[in-house]
Amino acid sequence: MKLIFEKTKPGAGCSVLPPCDVPEAPLPDWAARKKPARLPALDENQISRHYSALAKRVFGVNDGFYPLGSCTMKYNPKLNEELAGLPGFTGVHPLQPDHTTRGCRKVLELASQYLREIAGMDAMNFEPAAGAHGEFAGLLLFKAYHESRKDAARTKIIVPDSAHGTNPASAVMAGFSVVNIASGPDGCVDLDALKAVTGPDTAGLMLTNPNTVGLFDPNILEITRIVHKAGGLNYYDGANLNAIMGIVRPGDMGFDVVHFNLHKSFSTPHGGGGPGSGVVGCKDFLVPFLPVSGTFPASDGAQSIGRVRAFDGNFLVVVRALAYLLTLGKENIPEVARNAVLNANYLMEKLRDKFPPAYPGPCMHEFVISLEKLKASHGVSALDVAKALQDRGMHPPTIYFPLIVHEALMIEPTETESKETLDEAAAAFLSIYDQILEDSESLHAAPVNTVILRPDEVQAARKPVLRYVPS
Ligand SMILES: *Cc1c(COP(=O)(O)O)cnc(C)c1O
């Protein structure tokens, strides 16, 4: 498909304004362009067709099943988009007088109350604009806490090897060094390994529970106790909360700080790079360190880590989250979690015979299968299967993550898929299994039905072409 710049036609355009009937006022010389802007020129219908054609090449949640593990690509109610688009929300300015923004203040107040309740935390801050940003802010709270106690030796953050990549990255950004611990054979935290690395230099632990292999760590209380006993703090990466929301609370598991991705679990679509919201919750003793630039500052700010973003972050994401919470209510939020877990287990069981899961036992909202054996016996990789799934009209699951499982396919159906969709997905997987037995070579050519076939992934990652350079 041609780029819009390659379709440009000199002289074309779609301006329908009447000719100017007042004298032109030219810009002063210093402000005027020396060369005309390089803008594409197309007729209106060409522009319209160009963008429609682009839209047809995209695969999103609105197009089909999208089981991208560790990223919760679920269907989000369109009603919440309508609500976030109401002019009272979109037209508001954060510096308006309070008496003109009562509705917006109420949104923040209620969202904070409900999210605190779900988190089991005492305070909630809306500034961070993404999950990684929330982790960064949360770890600055750890740092400020240890500094306030003149405990300068605590420089290390413990991160299990199954963690999302943003965890170690945020720890380094916040000025800590990272201590990696290997997971046990059951995919969970190895308590002895944890004990061996905790000590007077431990600033804290970062954990996702359920973790990225979809398992709820049965030793969670012991894990957080070990870290607390050593003088460290516990950080809960709650990017994907759909497995536990309304069922168990990070605060009750022994965590001191948590972030939620409102753009994964609470009804803002994601995948296009934003806007998002990585709200951060914390326990009482950390409240003095929270950012205070939002509508409801949690303290006088004397010990605050400073602002990580202006005002209340991406407010319209909070509007969607509140709409979602109010629609579901206290009764149905746990139902989201139950369905997320049920759907994942249903699909896992349907695939088990042909694609056994990497870890035994029931899973939470996602599960991981390993193609290691099929690769050894038939030369078929996780990538081949992912591409073959595209041919069958679904988005591939996450592949080659987590790193602790070889030839990993990490599948999260999400709570919003029907049994029919899950049955279709299982059928697609099983037909790929048949294809592997019949003609495994043919899988290396997949996908054959998509607009772009198999790009050179190394080239695409190492030398991405992200910008049009005119000839
Ligand atoms: C998505 C995700 C993150 C990072 O969130 P962003 O909004 O992309 O920065 C962190 N941890 C886990 C487990 C995630 O799934």
Side-chain angles (χ1 to χ4, degrees), residues 47-87:
I47 294 175
S48 183
R49 285 171 190 163
H50 178 77
Y51 286 106
S52 293
L54 277 180
K56 283 181 193 151
R57 297 182 154 222
V58 171
F59 189 98
V61 172
N62 292 327
D63 300 298
F65 189 45
Y66 203 134
L68 197 71
S70 184
C71 286
T72 307
M73 300 298 282
K74 69 183 184 187
Y75 178 82
N76 291 295
K78 298 289 174 274
L79 174 64
N80 300 345
E81 295 299 313
E82 298 259 329
L83 295 175
L86 291 175

Side-chain angles (χ1 to χ4, degrees), residues 92-130:
V92 75
H93 191 283
L95 294 179
Q96 268 177 238
D98 284 355
H99 72 274
T100 66
T101 58
R102 282 198 191 135
C104 296
R105 294 164 63 83
K106 193 77 188 167
V107 167
L108 290 167
E109 198 185 309
L110 286 178
S112 172
Q113 181 191 330
Y114 297 152
L115 291 170
R116 272 181 283 144
E117 203 166 310
I118 290 171
M121 294 287 161
D122 300 311
M124 195 56 65
N125 183 277
F126 291 108
E127 276 190 42

Side-chain angles (χ1 to χ4, degrees), residues 149-161:
R149 295 159 49 92
K150 313 258 180 293
D151 196 349
R154 299 196 177 271
T155 56
K156 294 190 175 150
I157 295 287
I158 302 166
V159 182
D161 58 3

Side-chain angles (χ1 to χ4, degrees), residues 37 72 81 84 112 135 169 192 209 230 232 244 257 276 290 315 339 373 411 446 449 461:
T72 307
E81 295 299 313
S112 172
E135 292 167 22
D192 291 329
N209 191 33
I244 62 155
V257 178
L290 281 174
F315 173 65
N339 286 333
K373 287 212 180 94
I411 303 167
N449 297 330

Side-chain angles (χ1 to χ4, degrees), residues 6 29 67 71 75 123 144 150 171 191 210 234 251 303 308 363 370 405-406:
E6 295 163 338
D29 224 28
C71 286
Y75 178 82
K150 313 258 180 293
L191 292 180
N234 292 299
Q303 288 181 285
V308 296
C363 63
S370 167
V405 177
H406 294 146

Side-chain angles (χ1 to χ4, degrees), residues 83-361:
L83 295 175
L86 291 175
F89 292 135
T90 56
V92 75
H93 191 283
L95 294 179
Q96 268 177 238
D98 284 355
H99 72 274
T100 66
T101 58
R102 282 198 191 135
C104 296
R105 294 164 63 83
K106 193 77 188 167
V107 167
L108 290 167
E109 198 185 309
L110 286 178
S112 172
Q113 181 191 330
Y114 297 152
L115 291 170
R116 272 181 283 144
E117 203 166 310
I118 290 171
M121 294 287 161
D122 300 311
M124 195 56 65
N125 183 277
F126 291 108
E127 276 190 42
H133 200 189
E135 292 167 22
F136 175 66
L139 289 173
L140 290 183
L141 298 181
F142 279 24
K143 200 167 191 188
Y145 169 77
H146 292 310
E147 277 170 7
S148 76
R149 295 159 49 92
K150 313 258 180 293
D151 196 349
R154 299 196 177 271
T155 56
K156 294 190 175 150
I157 295 287
I158 302 166
V159 182
D161 58 3
S162 65
H164 193 270
T166 50
N167 290 186
S170 303
V172 170
M173 286 273 290
F176 294 106
S177 56
V178 174
V179 182
N180 233 294
I181 50 167
S183 305
D186 58 354
C188 294
V189 171
D190 178 338
L191 292 180
D192 291 329
L194 176 64
K195 280 183 199 143
V197 296
T198 41
D201 60 355
T202 301
L205 167 81
M206 292 182 91
L207 204 69
T208 309
N209 191 33
N211 61 18
T212 57
V213 294
L215 302 172
F216 190 93
D217 203 310
N219 297 321
I220 191 62
L221 292 174
E222 180 62 10
I223 292 166
T224 53
R225 200 190 59 83
I226 291 170
V227 175
H228 277 156
K229 199 163 160 241
L233 300 177
N234 292 299
Y235 186 95
Y236 185 91
D237 175 345
N240 307 287
L241 206 73
N242 51 351
I244 62 155
M245 55 164 81
I247 309 259
V248 282
R249 313 193 306 167
D252 298 336
M253 294 182 215
F255 289 92
D256 307 294
V257 178
V258 54
H259 86 264
F260 294 154
N261 279 18
L262 299 188
H263 54 287
K264 282 180 183 170
S265 309
F266 295 96
S267 183
T268 285
H270 80 292
S277 173
V279 293
V280 168
C282 70
K283 290 280 175 73
D284 257 339
F285 71 100
L286 292 170
V287 165
F289 309 111
L290 281 174
V292 287
S293 70
T295 302
F296 299 107
S299 75
D300 62 5
Q303 288 181 285
S304 165
I305 59 167
R307 68 165 55 168
V308 296
R309 205 168 191 278
F311 305 109
D312 296 288
N314 286 324
F315 173 65
L316 296 176
V317 181
V318 182
V319 173
R320 290 187 190 88
L322 180 62
Y324 183 73
L325 291 168
L326 288 173
T327 310
L328 289 171
K330 203 166 185 163
E331 310 74 44
N332 290 310
I333 289 167
E335 196 60 20
V336 168
R338 287 190 198 104
N339 286 333
V341 173
L342 177 65
N343 278 359
N345 279 285
Y346 180 75
L347 191 53
M348 183 172 81
E349 290 310 319
K350 291 215 88 160
L351 302 185
R352 179 183 288 280
D353 287 347
K354 304 287 162 36
F355 297 98
Y359 297 97

